[in-house]
Amino acid sequence: MASEDTLPQPLQGIIPPMVTPLSDRDTLDVDGLQRLVEHILSGGVHGLFVLSTTGEAPSLSYRLRFELIDHVCKQVAGRVPILVGVTDTSFYESVNLANYAADAGAQAVVLSAPYYYPAGQAELLQYIEHMVAALPLPVFLYNLPSHTKLTFEPDTLRRLIDIQKVVGLKDSSGDMIYFHKVRRLARERPDWSLLIGPEELLAEAVLLGGHGGVCGGANLSPKLYVGLYEAAVHHEMERVAELHDRVLQICDSIYTVARHGAPVVKGLKSSLACLKICGDFLAEPFYHFGDAERQLVRERLAELQFPLGLPRHTRPV
Amino acid sequence: MASEDTLPQPLQGIIPPMVTPLSDRDTLDVDGLQRLVEHILSGGVHGLFVLSTTGEAPSLSYRLRFELIDHVCKQVAGRVPILVGVTDTSFYESVNLANYAADAGAQAVVLSAPYYYPAGQAELLQYIEHMVAALPLPVFLYNLPSHTKLTFEPDTLRRLIDIQKVVGLKDSSGDMIYFHKVRRLARERPDWSLLIGPEELLAEAVLLGGHGGVCGGANLSPKLYVGLYEAAVHHEMERVAELHDRVLQICDSIYTVARHGAPVVKGLKSSLACLKICGDFLAEPFYHFGDAERQLVRERLAELQFPLGLPRHTRPV
Amino acid sequence: MASEDTLPQPLQGIIPPMVTPLSDRDTLDVDGLQRLVEHILSGGVHGLFVLSTTGEAPSLSYRLRFELIDHVCKQVAGRVPILVGVTDTSFYESVNLANYAADAGAQAVVLSAPYYYPAGQAELLQYIEHMVAALPLPVFLYNLPSHTKLTFEPDTLRRLIDIQKVVGLKDSSGDMIYFHKVRRLARERPDWSLLIGPEELLAEAVLLGGHGGVCGGANLSPKLYVGLYEAAVHHEMERVAELHDRVLQICDSIYTVARHGAPVVKGLKSSLACLKICGDFLAEPFYHFGDAERQLVRERLAELQFPLGLPRHTRPV
Amino acid sequence: MASEDTLPQPLQGIIPPMVTPLSDRDTLDVDGLQRLVEHILSGGVHGLFVLSTTGEAPSLSYRLRFELIDHVCKQVAGRVPILVGVTDTSFYESVNLANYAADAGAQAVVLSAPYYYPAGQAELLQYIEHMVAALPLPVFLYNLPSHTKLTFEPDTLRRLIDIQKVVGLKDSSGDMIYFHKVRRLARERPDWSLLIGPEELLAEAVLLGGHGGVCGGANLSPKLYVGLYEAAVHHEMERVAELHDRVLQICDSIYTVARHGAPVVKGLKSSLACLKICGDFLAEPFYHFGDAERQLVRERLAELQFPLGLPRHTRPV
């Protein structure tokens, strides 16, 4: 099947980390998945990232991960590049997943540090070098120290940037000082893509030279994030201010309902259920909201003027 | 096969977290494994813990984990209880592994927090409750916040201690204040076993009411740790001081050779290779020592008077 | 003397945290101080912050702190507002210092959390309320969790923002998600000033609604930071990109010479010594550079085209 | 006055970190102080540590610190050695305080890392070397990374242990692995005293070779801690178990009333007020308990069979 030929280099724009619609712990919500993919693509996004942190990848069985890759690759059918998360604590299982993704037609994989053992930069460097050599697709690195306990330090990146198969980095550290450092050291690779994770930082990341964002909120409002990205690219500062503020409103309302872990995923899945796109089941260790929290999500979506009352197929955001 | 009938309650003594002998990334060193199991059992240990952190469990493919369980269960053949680590980020894969272990004849499983997402106590409590209900064997909880980002807080344990199928806790936090707190709240469960992880703390843990230790060093010197355990049980304070100091010497010499991650596993595997018990291959993200470090391990073992020159089958420690 | 009448509300622009020129552990370098103040003011800055973290305030004796306040207030003589850091672990000593500053003619004080005991938000809120009531000048809050172990959480700020005497916040957390949250909740106080600490973040802070920056680098190159501030205010995006990059170059070269603590202060003082503005003595626990590091600073300043060869009084940056 | 002649080397036993009785933010409760000193000394303690963390030293004005030193030195009058905390962020103020303590007749000072700036081991080593040279009394190092952000790493201690004027270390890290490491490296200095901070760890610290403890609870029950120390020294294991458990009970009840910061100091001062020894005023940033919490302390003291009903001067514990 087609693959890396269709991956723009550098990859630019909004690449949503898709939530994984589930109807049970080990059952994909296939109908919800179809609606969600179309909802996201209708917003004009520039790629789709499956098996991300937002997609609850580490919580899913391997069987379900394979099934998800199959469905999404078939449905997207080349309309946008598909990136597949293959981060795992086991080298073998990562490579296995990547091979599956390549066969299914994905365009790239996303790889973070193996996340169980606290390791050092020397191990991280060697791990990525070995892994990249074994992977069948272009690789985006993924910096997420809150989950992996390990940052891709600039000195490590300086080495990894020389590997042609590494085509970019998604930075979810939330540390813009780090982001600017990486941006400067990646200048020698014009085909290299630097993407921001936290959507609260999309505006400044793009205004100051980043290539786009992997925004969880684009599951819900793909047009909003695409619009903010484009306003920032074109330095339309009033529009940037307006849309940046809209993003902050979503973060301050939808993502603050959960009292414990995974507030973004819970908020997104609950919102998508309100919009009748897919259900709000979460894999352990997380659980969907109770009635009080669901009601709160509904109220906040209404305040934010999401079209709760419209029938399912006319739900543009 | 037999199972929980043969699990003493409380489980007491030394239960080594066995290293996993490998000849390659995805190949078990079967001969080394046989020698290692006999070496450990010859020291009079009170159980064997496979697929632990020291055993590199999260780095192994599932296929290899199954193979390891098979081999160990067959070889041990009921001589001591076998505990199998089933911690995973995926609920489904944990249960699958536990079912396999039960069928193979293991006596208990060891379960920590799912370690990718930072979660809260509410999620941890519900996760363990659901998981324990789905598991086919008695469960030891495993407190290892350095790797899982989550402590079993006393208020959470207070709830979990009421579940009969939970039969103990291994505490690898290194925090003796926590250990003493858990000891006090576990008093209402005389069948419950409180085991210490770090071997530097074995002496005080047993002197002050703990039930034993899951000591990595017992891969190398099982008799030493069994001896220290027994001296502490019997309040033989001079012998405790002497053996405690011997343990600290091992920690300060063998475990300090590695400059980066996994210093204990690297030190143990390199030492076992010097003693011709098994090879020193490590699964990614770790790597065995180079020549300089191997030589240093050899010198330190000699200083510690390990019998490097003896033929393989007469390797008493 | 004059005081708060001359404090613009909101305070906007570049307010350098002045380094404290010392000729010995407890001796002010009075001549160096005079040159430094004029050097900074010549760059068009909008205020001056003495006894900051960059100014080594907690390392100085109280006697020297008083002497410094006297000198600076006399020399500045109302040309720009003077902010004085009064953060201390002792309530009494903070108030004493603030009274001294008010008598000397300063316009505002800067107050962070008392930094010895790890405290909670409830204590922080009550502490700031009591302190503000006892202080004779308008108060800028100072968020610096890396040093104080305590963040001004949004819920705490929501309460503090109602106190008229609190006129702004300097955020040195480095966390732009936090910065945007604070900016939104401060909207109800148009007289309130939100300033960014890390100079790598000045561009985005001002582009997205912040009021300015407390940039250490403005000790060295006041015009550069004033220029970047103004370009950002006027949305001159090309100039923003150029000057932002110049700032990052300084950070990546001058502030990376030190291998241990206080790299920014050491880099700044060493640079100021190269430029013959003041000496490079640092108070304990820090120490000025040795010869090799001094030479490295000199080389890097030359690469950055600082005018090392010019006579002292013609040192425009 | 007398000084170091009367300091046993090594110092052994229980050296309570005395709480500082206050009647207001800047007013010593002189009567309460007198009663407290006698209460503590009546328990047979082996020293007294004033201006400790438990004593709220960093929160007090310098004037009050001087006054406290005067009162305690006069009242104790050589009955036990007095250790004075001189940790400060300012080198000058530390030395000044130490000189005052020496003149007043104290036997030693206690010195931790300067606690504002995050520093490295190189700075810590040089700082302590310079400071010790400038101090007029023997020095106990104080390891308290939770407050100072800096651990005395073993490699740093290896250097400091050669300085004759350094006579010991108080370890409040709570990390017994560290404690055992320090104990081993201090063997070459038989005059050197290794003391444990957290009272939950007193039993094991003394059983395994430590010299005693700096136990906050000894403000309340000096005899209990002296008894536990002596039982541990003499390996009376049943008595150790009984008194260790009594200590844990106090920790689990009295120190868990506070919901925010400083739970130990709040619990101790509130308890001492119930026992009519001194008032419960705390310096900012902390505040004494409200009525509900005071009542809870009273109830818990009653459960623990403290003699609440006895008249003040017959308050044996």
Side-chain angles (χ1 to χ4, degrees):
Chain A
M1 293 190 64
S3 74
E4 47 200 293
D5 304 345
T6 57
L7 182 70
Q9 296 205 3
L11 181 60
Q12 301 188 67
I14 299 298
I15 297 96
M18 196 183 68
V19 304
T20 302
L22 297 170
S23 51
D24 204 340
R25 179 186 296 156
D26 197 33
T27 311
L28 203 58
D29 170 6
V30 176
D31 290 348
L33 174 61
Q34 279 191 332
R35 284 191 297 272
L36 178 60
V37 168
E38 295 309 318
H39 172 67
I40 293 174
L41 292 194
S42 75
V45 301
H46 308 82
L48 196 61
F49 175 19
V50 295
L51 292 176
S52 65
T53 301
T54 302
E56 301 173 80
S59 303
L60 307 175
S61 73
Y62 286 94
R63 188 205 56 71
L64 196 146
R65 294 188 220 183
F66 295 152
E67 187 188 348
L68 176 68
I69 292 170
D70 279 337
H71 277 288
V72 174
C73 287
K74 272 183 203 141
Q75 189 179 345
V76 170
R79 288 182 284 173
V80 296
I82 296 176
L83 285 61
V84 175
V86 298
T87 303
D88 202 292
T89 58
S90 161
F91 193 101
Y92 177 91
E93 303 291 355
S94 280
V95 173
N96 199 32
L97 198 56
N99 286 334
Y100 196 96
D103 290 346
Q107 274 69 38
V109 294
V110 181
L111 179 66
S112 191
Y115 43 82
Y116 183 72
Y117 294 103
Q121 294 295 310
E123 271 103 6
L124 178 61
L125 178 61
Q126 200 168 347
Y127 173 81
I128 298 289
E129 286 173 347
H130 286 205
M131 185 64 88
V132 169
L135 291 176
L137 288 174
V139 177
F140 287 85
L141 303 177
Y142 182 6
N143 189 46
L144 183 65
S146 61
H147 290 60
T148 66
K149 310 165 196 139
L150 202 52
T151 292
F152 283 90
E153 297 286 358
D155 283 343
T156 303
L157 280 180
R158 217 162 266 133
R159 301 276 294 275
L160 294 174
I161 223 155
D162 288 335
I163 305 175
Q164 283 306 309
K165 218 153 114 191
V166 175
V167 296
L169 178 125
K170 173 191 172 188
D171 176 29
S172 291
S173 68
D175 178 353
M176 287 305 296
I177 298 176
Y178 172 84
F179 189 88
H180 295 316
K181 264 196 201 125
V182 176
R183 190 175 48 75
R184 291 189 78 232
L185 69 85
R187 282 184 178 171
E188 52 194 91
R189 280 282 304 268
D191 60 325
W192 215 81
S193 172
L194 179 56
L195 304 169
I196 192 80
E199 54 204 72
E200 298 95 327
L201 305 174
L202 175 62
E204 59 216 271
V206 176
L207 283 172
L208 294 170
H211 296 89
V214 181
C215 309
N219 282 279
L220 185 59
S221 300
K223 281 184 189 162
L224 167 61
Y225 296 82
V226 170
L228 176 51
Y229 164 73
E230 287 177 351
V233 165
H234 297 106
H235 298 169
E236 298 164 4
M237 295 303 292
E238 278 190 36
R239 186 133 178 84
V240 166
E242 179 196 333
L243 298 183
H244 174 55
D245 218 70
R246 170 83 174 167
V247 168
L248 297 180
Q249 277 178 47
I250 289 176
C251 295
D252 273 1
S253 58
I254 303 301
Y255 302 165
T256 57
V257 172
R259 285 163 306 173
H260 307 299
V264 176
V265 184
K266 285 177 185 167
L268 286 175
K269 282 203 157 175
S270 190
S271 296
L272 290 167
C274 286
L275 297 175
K276 298 193 173 57
I277 293 173
C278 63
D280 64 359
F281 191 93
L282 278 94
E284 281 98 354
F286 299 117
Y287 300 93
H288 59 67
F289 286 147
D291 286 345
E293 292 154 314
R294 281 170 169 165
Q295 183 53 31
L296 199 53
V297 168
R298 173 167 292 274
E299 288 166 15
R300 292 186 176 179
L301 287 172
E303 281 168 24
L304 290 166
Q305 301 185 299
F306 276 84
L308 296 171
L310 294 186
R312 181 177 293 159
H313 53 284
T314 60
R315 196 177 310 97
V317 183
Chain B
M1 292 191 64
S3 74
E4 48 199 291
D5 304 345
T6 57
L7 182 71
Q9 297 204 0
L11 181 60
Q12 303 189 66
I14 300 299
I15 297 96
M18 197 182 68
V19 304
T20 302
L22 296 171
S23 50
D24 204 341
R25 181 185 294 156
D26 198 32
T27 312
L28 202 58
D29 169 7
V30 177
D31 289 347
L33 174 62
Q34 279 191 331
R35 285 191 296 272
L36 178 61
V37 167
E38 294 310 317
H39 173 66
I40 293 174
L41 292 193
S42 75
V45 302
H46 307 83
L48 195 60
F49 175 18
V50 295
L51 293 177
S52 64
T53 301
T54 301
E56 301 173 80
S59 305
L60 307 175
S61 73
Y62 285 95
R63 188 203 59 70
L64 194 148
R65 294 189 220 185
F66 295 152
E67 187 188 349
L68 176 68
I69 292 170
D70 280 336
H71 276 289
V72 174
C73 285
K74 271 182 202 142
Q75 189 179 346
V76 171
R79 289 182 282 172
V80 296
I82 296 175
L83 285 62
V84 176
V86 298
T87 303
D88 203 294
T89 57
S90 161
F91 193 99
Y92 177 91
E93 303 292 355
S94 279
V95 174
N96 198 33
L97 199 54
N99 286 335
Y100 195 94
D103 290 346
Q107 275 69 38
V109 294
V110 181
L111 179 65
S112 192
Y115 43 84
Y116 184 73
Y117 294 102
Q121 294 296 308
E123 271 105 4
L124 178 61
L125 179 60
Q126 201 168 345
Y127 172 81
I128 299 288
E129 286 173 347
H130 286 206
M131 186 62 88
V132 169
L135 292 175
L137 289 174
V139 177
F140 287 84
L141 304 176
Y142 184 5
N143 189 47
L144 183 64
S146 61
H147 290 59
T148 65
K149 309 164 197 139
L150 202 51
T151 291
F152 283 90
E153 297 286 358
D155 283 344
T156 302
L157 279 179
R158 218 163 264 131
R159 302 276 295 274
L160 293 173
I161 222 154
D162 288 336
I163 305 175
Q164 283 306 308
K165 218 154 112 191
V166 175
V167 296
L169 178 125
K170 172 192 172 187
D171 176 30
S172 291
S173 68
D175 178 353
M176 287 305 297
I177 299 177
Y178 173 85
F179 188 88
H180 295 316
K181 264 195 201 125
V182 175
R183 191 176 48 76
R184 292 188 79 229
L185 69 84
R187 282 185 178 170
E188 51 194 271
R189 280 284 302 270
D191 60 325
W192 215 81
S193 172
L194 179 56
L195 304 170
I196 191 81
E199 54 204 75
E200 298 95 326
L201 305 173
L202 174 63
E204 57 215 275
V206 176
L207 283 172
L208 294 171
H211 296 89
V214 181
C215 309
N219 282 280
L220 184 60
S221 300
K223 282 184 186 161
L224 167 62
Y225 295 83
V226 170
L228 176 51
Y229 165 74
E230 287 177 352
V233 165
H234 298 105
H235 297 169
E236 298 163 3
M237 294 303 291
E238 279 189 33
R239 186 136 179 82
V240 165
E242 180 196 333
L243 298 182
H244 174 55
D245 218 70
R246 170 84 175 166
V247 168
L248 297 180
Q249 277 178 47
I250 289 176
C251 296
D252 274 0
S253 58
I254 303 301
Y255 303 166
T256 57
V257 171
R259 285 162 304 172
H260 308 296
V264 176
V265 184
K266 284 178 186 167
L268 287 175
K269 282 202 158 175
S270 189
S271 297
L272 290 167
C274 288
L275 297 174
K276 299 194 172 53
I277 293 174
C278 64
D280 64 358
F281 191 94
L282 277 95
E284 280 99 353
F286 299 117
Y287 300 93
H288 59 68
F289 286 147
D291 285 345
E293 292 154 315
R294 281 171 169 165
Q295 182 54 29
L296 199 53
V297 168
R298 173 167 290 275
E299 288 166 15
R300 292 186 177 178
L301 286 172
E303 281 168 24
L304 291 165
Q305 301 185 302
F306 276 85
L308 297 171
L310 294 188
R312 182 177 291 159
H313 54 284
T314 60
R315 198 177 309 98
V317 182
Chain C
M1 292 189 65
S3 75
E4 47 200 291
D5 305 344
T6 57
L7 182 69
Q9 296 205 0
L11 181 61
Q12 302 189 67
I14 299 299
I15 297 96
M18 196 181 69
V19 303
T20 302
L22 297 171
S23 51
D24 203 341
R25 179 186 294 156
D26 197 33
T27 311
L28 203 58
D29 169 8
V30 176
D31 290 347
L33 174 62
Q34 279 191 333
R35 285 191 297 271
L36 178 61
V37 168
E38 294 310 318
H39 172 67
I40 293 173
L41 292 194
S42 76
V45 302
H46 308 83
L48 197 59
F49 175 19
V50 296
L51 292 177
S52 63
T53 301
T54 302
E56 301 172 80
S59 304
L60 308 175
S61 74
Y62 285 94
R63 189 205 57 68
L64 195 148
R65 295 189 219 184
F66 295 153
E67 188 188 347
L68 176 67
I69 293 170
D70 280 337
H71 277 289
V72 174
C73 287
K74 271 184 202 140
Q75 189 179 345
V76 170
R79 290 182 282 173
V80 296
I82 295 174
L83 285 62
V84 176
V86 298
T87 303
D88 202 293
T89 58
S90 161
F91 192 101
Y92 177 91
E93 303 293 353
S94 279
V95 174
N96 199 33
L97 198 56
N99 285 335
Y100 196 94
D103 289 347
Q107 275 69 37
V109 294
V110 181
L111 179 65
S112 191
Y115 44 83
Y116 183 72
Y117 293 103
Q121 294 295 309
E123 272 103 5
L124 177 61
L125 178 61
Q126 200 168 346
Y127 173 81
I128 298 288
E129 286 173 348
H130 286 205
M131 185 63 88
V132 169
L135 292 176
L137 288 174
V139 176
F140 287 85
L141 304 177
Y142 183 5
N143 189 46
L144 183 65
S146 61
H147 290 59
T148 65
K149 309 165 198 138
L150 203 51
T151 292
F152 283 90
E153 297 285 358
D155 284 343
T156 302
L157 279 179
R158 218 162 263 132
R159 301 276 295 275
L160 293 173
I161 221 154
D162 289 335
I163 305 175
Q164 284 304 309
K165 218 155 112 192
V166 175
V167 295
L169 177 124
K170 172 192 172 189
D171 175 30
S172 292
S173 68
D175 178 353
M176 288 305 297
I177 299 177
Y178 173 86
F179 189 87
H180 295 315
K181 266 197 199 124
V182 176
R183 190 175 48 75
R184 292 188 78 230
L185 70 83
R187 283 188 178 168
E188 53 193 271
R189 280 284 302 269
D191 60 323
W192 215 81
S193 172
L194 178 55
L195 303 169
I196 191 80
E199 54 204 75
E200 297 95 327
L201 305 174
L202 175 62
E204 58 216 271
V206 176
L207 283 174
L208 294 171
H211 296 89
V214 181
C215 308
N219 282 279
L220 184 60
S221 301
K223 282 183 186 161
L224 168 61
Y225 296 83
V226 170
L228 176 52
Y229 165 73
E230 288 178 349
V233 165
H234 297 105
H235 297 169
E236 299 163 3
M237 295 302 292
E238 279 189 34
R239 186 139 177 80
V240 166
E242 178 195 334
L243 298 182
H244 173 56
D245 218 71
R246 169 85 175 167
V247 168
L248 297 181
Q249 278 178 46
I250 290 176
C251 295
D252 274 1
S253 58
I254 304 301
Y255 303 166
T256 57
V257 172
R259 285 162 306 173
H260 306 297
V264 176
V265 184
K266 284 177 185 168
L268 287 175
K269 282 202 158 174
S270 190
S271 296
L272 290 167
C274 287
L275 297 175
K276 297 194 173 56
I277 293 174
C278 64
D280 64 359
F281 191 93
L282 278 93
E284 280 97 354
F286 299 116
Y287 300 95
H288 59 68
F289 285 147
D291 286 344
E293 292 154 315
R294 280 172 169 165
Q295 183 54 29
L296 199 53
V297 168
R298 172 166 291 274
E299 288 166 15
R300 292 187 175 179
L301 286 172
E303 281 168 26
L304 291 165
Q305 301 185 301
F306 275 85
L308 296 171
L310 294 187
R312 182 176 292 159
H313 53 283
T314 60
R315 196 177 309 97
V317 182
Chain D
M1 292 190 65
S3 76
E4 48 200 291
D5 304 344
T6 57
L7 181 70
Q9 297 205 359
L11 181 60
Q12 302 188 67
I14 300 299
I15 298 94
M18 196 181 70
V19 304
T20 301
L22 298 170
S23 51
D24 205 341
R25 179 185 296 156
D26 197 33
T27 311
L28 203 57
D29 169 7
V30 176
D31 289 348
L33 174 62
Q34 279 192 332
R35 284 191 298 272
L36 178 61
V37 167
E38 294 309 319
H39 173 66
I40 292 173
L41 293 193
S42 76
V45 301
H46 308 83
L48 197 60
F49 175 18
V50 296
L51 292 176
S52 64
T53 302
T54 302
E56 300 173 79
S59 304
L60 307 174
S61 73
Y62 286 95
R63 188 205 57 69
L64 196 146
R65 295 188 219 185
F66 295 153
E67 187 188 349
L68 176 69
I69 292 170
D70 279 337
H71 276 289
V72 174
C73 285
K74 271 183 201 140
Q75 190 179 343
V76 170
R79 287 182 284 173
V80 296
I82 296 175
L83 284 62
V84 176
V86 298
T87 303
D88 203 292
T89 57
S90 161
F91 192 101
Y92 177 91
E93 303 291 354
S94 279
V95 174
N96 199 32
L97 198 56
N99 285 336
Y100 196 96
D103 289 347
Q107 275 69 38
V109 294
V110 181
L111 179 65
S112 192
Y115 43 83
Y116 183 72
Y117 294 103
Q121 294 296 308
E123 271 104 5
L124 178 61
L125 179 61
Q126 200 168 348
Y127 173 81
I128 298 288
E129 286 173 347
H130 287 205
M131 185 63 88
V132 169
L135 292 176
L137 288 174
V139 177
F140 287 85
L141 304 177
Y142 183 5
N143 189 47
L144 183 65
S146 61
H147 290 59
T148 65
K149 308 164 198 139
L150 202 51
T151 291
F152 283 90
E153 297 286 357
D155 283 344
T156 302
L157 279 179
R158 218 162 264 132
R159 302 276 295 275
L160 293 173
I161 222 154
D162 288 336
I163 305 175
Q164 283 305 309
K165 220 155 112 190
V166 175
V167 295
L169 177 125
K170 173 192 173 187
D171 176 29
S172 290
S173 67
D175 177 353
M176 287 305 296
I177 299 176
Y178 173 84
F179 189 87
H180 295 316
K181 264 196 202 126
V182 176
R183 189 176 49 75
R184 290 189 80 229
L185 69 85
R187 281 186 178 169
E188 53 193 270
R189 279 283 303 268
D191 60 323
W192 216 80
S193 172
L194 178 56
L195 304 169
I196 190 83
E199 55 204 76
E200 297 95 327
L201 305 174
L202 175 62
E204 59 217 271
V206 176
L207 283 172
L208 294 171
H211 296 89
V214 181
C215 309
N219 281 279
L220 185 60
S221 300
K223 281 182 188 164
L224 167 61
Y225 295 83
V226 170
L228 175 52
Y229 165 73
E230 288 178 350
V233 164
H234 297 105
H235 297 169
E236 298 163 3
M237 295 302 292
E238 279 189 33
R239 187 137 178 81
V240 166
E242 179 195 334
L243 298 182
H244 174 56
D245 218 71
R246 170 85 175 165
V247 168
L248 296 180
Q249 277 177 47
I250 290 176
C251 295
D252 274 1
S253 58
I254 304 301
Y255 303 166
T256 57
V257 172
R259 284 162 306 173
H260 307 298
V264 176
V265 183
K266 285 177 185 168
L268 287 175
K269 282 202 158 175
S270 190
S271 296
L272 290 167
C274 287
L275 296 174
K276 298 194 172 55
I277 293 174
C278 64
D280 64 359
F281 191 92
L282 278 93
E284 279 97 355
F286 299 116
Y287 299 94
H288 58 68
F289 285 146
D291 285 345
E293 291 154 314
R294 280 170 168 164
Q295 183 53 30
L296 198 54
V297 168
R298 173 168 291 276
E299 287 166 15
R300 292 187 175 178
L301 287 172
E303 282 167 24
L304 290 166
Q305 301 185 301
F306 276 85
L308 296 170
L310 294 186
R312 181 177 293 159
H313 53 285
T314 61
R315 196 177 309 97
V317 181

